[in-house]
Amino acid sequence: MGKIILRLDRVMADRKISLKELSEKVGVSNVNLSKMKTGKISAIRFSTLAAICDALDCQPGDILEFNQSDADV
């Protein structure tokens, strides 16, 4: 089965925004954003994803990537 990879770290680096600044804009704790940034989460609320996309001026597809190489063919 394929898996979803979070690219939040890459988008944050492109936008030159710190974890603290994003946390303040989105209203999510540093700890939870850090877990998202490192891919150590199993779910994300659409409202949180929307707030992150709004703060980073990006699309969900900029943050989420589907790795199909592990998928059964």
Side-chain angles (χ1 to χ4, degrees):
M1 178 189 328
K3 67 183 210 176
I4 302 293
I5 299 168
L6 287 164
R7 299 292 186 201
L8 182 58
D9 56 342
R10 183 177 62 195
V11 177
M12 287 176 62
D14 289 347
R15 304 293 193 275
K16 295 177 175 56
I17 188 169
S18 70
L19 197 61
K20 182 178 185 231
E21 188 179 352
L22 184 60
S23 172
E24 290 169 357
K25 286 184 175 189
V26 175
V28 174
S29 73
N30 278 351
V31 172
N32 286 339
L33 276 180
S34 181
K35 287 179 182 179
M36 286 181 216
K37 193 175 164 187
T38 59
K40 297 191 169 144
I41 61 167
S42 59
I44 184 170
R45 290 183 177 169
F46 283 154
S47 59
T48 301
L49 181 59
I52 291 170
C53 288
D54 189 44
L56 295 174
D57 190 29
C58 68
Q59 294 294 314
D62 298 329
I63 296 172
L64 303 172
E65 180 179 316
F66 180 65
N67 184 341
Q68 199 169 15
S69 64
D70 294 334
D72 295 332
V73 178

